[in-house]
Amino acid sequence: NKNLNKIDALIRYGLAASSLVLYFSGVVPSTPGLILIAIGLVFLITGFAKFCPVYFVFGISTLNNSNLQTKN
């Protein structure tokens, strides 16, 4: 079940790209960089899937509108 809108997914793609740039440019080296890459991969996967498990747990969906929606 999808719960992310296009803007939310684009933000996640940007965060994933930023994590790659920070690691490969050497700004965030070694283990913290690898952790940042892992977090970036999570953002990338959730963006492509248009599904966020954390949103699901809290009943949040940004899919219907640009505004944040909660399910009652």
Side-chain angles (χ1 to χ4, degrees):
N1 215 2
K2 296 180 180 183
N3 61 6
L4 297 179
N5 68 8
K6 190 183 290 188
I7 294 171
D8 202 348
L10 288 173
I11 291 169
R12 289 167 187 266
Y13 301 149
L15 290 171
S18 297
S19 69
L20 288 171
V21 169
L22 288 172
Y23 178 73
F24 288 113
S25 66
V27 174
V28 182
S30 191
T31 303
L34 293 175
I35 292 169
L36 188 62
I37 291 289
I39 293 169
L41 285 174
V42 169
F43 281 131
L44 188 65
I45 291 167
T46 57
F48 277 126
K50 303 275 196 270
F51 176 78
C52 177
V54 176
Y55 282 9
F56 179 75
V57 168
F58 291 105
I60 298 171
S61 176
T62 60
L63 188 60
N64 298 333
N65 295 323
S66 295
N67 300 328
L68 185 66
Q69 299 286 321
T70 58
K71 296 178 184 174
N72 294 327

